[in-house]
Amino acid sequence: MNKRSFLSVVTACFLWTFGTPVFHATAEQPPVILTITLPGEETGTPQVIALTEQDLRALPALSYDTTTIWTTGKQRFTGVPLFTLLEHFDIEAAKLELQAVNDYSIALPVDEITPDAPIVAYERNNKPMKLRDKGPLWLIYDYDSNADYRTETIFSRSIWQLDRITAIR
């Protein structure tokens, strides 16, 4: 079994076990890089939205040219504004729990998300990010544009290797 087939099987098992998919990856599609879990309203069973890189790229994008405390020099980040992602899937929540591949997680109050910040970046310097380079997804703010984005709270929310979001009401 190749890696893509294995990931498709794992994704299908996850979706079957933990929720009803809005859509899911198949062996013909690229791998899922972000899952969004929504609380189950009527049935109590969580609903899962499984997104590939292509799904994210199909949404409106925003780019920042900014410096970070984790990189050297100005970097260009491109991605989907988190606000846009929530609107696109009609997600209503009080807060979001964002988790990384290594299970690092942060809580983000939804009322602190603006149309321009943060973005779920899928590119750095016009190239897709690899896992070893803090990718494939990194929650990024335009740190240079606003002193409010240069705080310990915001830095701790700038989660890289992001792969899961859970909406909490």
Side-chain angles (χ1 to χ4, degrees), residues 102-116:
N102 68 359
D103 292 329
Y104 174 79
S105 68
I106 59 107
L108 177 60
V110 170
D111 62 1
E112 294 182 24
I113 299 169
T114 70
D116 297 326

Side-chain angles (χ1 to χ4, degrees), residues 30-107:
V32 170
I33 63 170
L34 179 65
T35 57
I36 303 172
T37 303
L38 310 173
E41 303 238 350
E42 296 171 15
T43 64
T45 302
Q47 184 179 36
V48 175
I49 301 168
L51 300 169
T52 66
E53 182 180 341
Q54 287 76 4
D55 296 328
L56 292 172
R57 287 178 179 275
L59 297 171
L62 186 62
S63 293
Y64 302 145
D65 292 313
T66 192
T67 56
T68 79
I69 62 172
W70 308 279
T71 59
T72 303
K74 209 167 266 266
Q75 307 286 308
R76 180 172 190 81
F77 292 96
T78 301
V80 178
L82 186 54
F83 186 90
T84 300
L85 195 62
L86 297 177
E87 274 194 334
H88 181 79
F89 291 105
D90 199 26
I91 298 170
E92 295 181 13
K95 70 178 179 175
L96 301 175
E97 180 180 278
L98 293 92
Q99 290 183 285
V101 171
N102 68 359
D103 292 329
Y104 174 79
S105 68
I106 59 107

Side-chain angles (χ1 to χ4, degrees), residues 5 15 32 41 47 49 57-58 61 87 121 131 133 146 153 157:
S5 296
L15 294 172
V32 170
E41 303 238 350
Q47 184 179 36
I49 301 168
R57 287 178 179 275
E87 274 194 334
L131 193 62
D133 299 321
N146 187 331
T153 298
R157 291 179 181 165

